[in-house]
Amino acid sequence: MTAAPSHNAANASNPTLPADVPMVDIPTAATEDGKKRKRKEKEAHILHQTTFRKPTWSYFHLSLVTPGTAALSSAAAAASSQARDIDALTASALLLQPLTAYLGSTGAAVPVDILHTQGRDAYVRLPRQDARGFRAGLSGWIGGYDSGSIPGVKDSGRVHVAWRVVAEGGSLGLLRGTGEELFGESEVAY
């Protein structure tokens, strides 16, 4: 019987070594005592740590669009209707209609907080899990409302209205810069 040729690197470089030589571990200082060395774990000293992985609220900056202001930018439409602001009650009614049309009674139950209105713009807050349905409901909705309640509309009777989503974010400060456009320079926000 002949032995099968071995293909390890040790036998290739030195043909006089036998193929089945057991490897012996060399004792080290840590294993001679029978104890392993353990590192002392230092506790990290963290002063402050904050991570917003899943914010509770979503914030939207919305602009009310009518047929005369659809082609204008948000700033130009706000400048043309500076006489008065849309009131929170009108904004609430105009937000309820698309949510009910898109999601039915579930959409009507979405809690929408109107934080601020200025001209035709509205800043709203709602739960994060409802943000996708809210945006989808607003994007395809065109409704009608009394023209006397909409700032900047000179016609009488009902007028077509829609919402334009200007910005969306997980934090109110992320919508637009410093927030001066929200509360103005002279007003104090409590």
Side-chain angles (χ1 to χ4, degrees):
M1 250 188 179
T2 60
S6 171
H7 295 294
N8 30 2
N11 288 347
S13 63
N14 191 356
T16 59
L17 288 176
D20 296 331
V21 175
M23 300 286 291
V24 179
D25 289 338
I26 300 174
T28 60
T31 57
E32 285 179 11
D33 300 11
K35 299 179 184 177
K36 291 187 177 181
R37 292 185 201 174
K38 293 184 181 178
R39 286 188 180 181
K40 294 181 182 178
E41 293 185 23
K42 295 181 181 177
E43 292 185 26
H45 183 70
I46 299 173
L47 294 176
H48 181 71
Q49 179 178 355
T50 305
T51 304
F52 297 122
R53 295 186 191 258
K54 292 183 180 178
T56 308
W57 303 101
S58 287
Y59 296 87
F60 285 86
H61 175 194
L62 305 172
S63 181
L64 188 64
V65 179
T66 58
T69 61
L72 298 175
S73 68
S74 178
S80 68
S81 64
Q82 283 298 332
R84 63 186 176 94
D85 296 341
I86 187 170
D87 60 306
L89 206 54
T90 303
S92 177
L94 286 170
L95 289 171
L96 182 64
Q97 291 177 9
L99 288 174
T100 305
Y102 185 69
L103 297 169
S105 60
T106 304
V110 171
V112 178
D113 298 329
I114 299 170
L115 302 176
H116 182 71
T117 59
Q118 181 178 7
R120 291 176 176 224
D121 292 348
Y123 292 85
V124 298
R125 175 181 75 177
L126 58 134
R128 178 186 57 83
Q129 64 268 18
D130 296 325
R132 183 180 289 173
F134 179 78
R135 184 179 183 90
L138 291 182
S139 66
W141 177 79
I142 297 175
Y145 206 76
D146 181 33
S147 63
S149 301
I150 308 296
V153 176
K154 295 174 181 40
D155 299 337
S156 62
R158 291 184 64 83
V159 65
H160 289 290
V161 292
W163 286 105
R164 175 182 292 154
V165 178
V166 178
E168 174 185 358
S171 172
L172 186 58
L174 296 176
L175 291 185
R176 285 187 65 193
T178 62
E180 289 178 1
E181 65 282 344
L182 262 175
F183 302 108
E185 293 93 26
S186 62
E187 295 182 31
V188 178
Y190 294 103

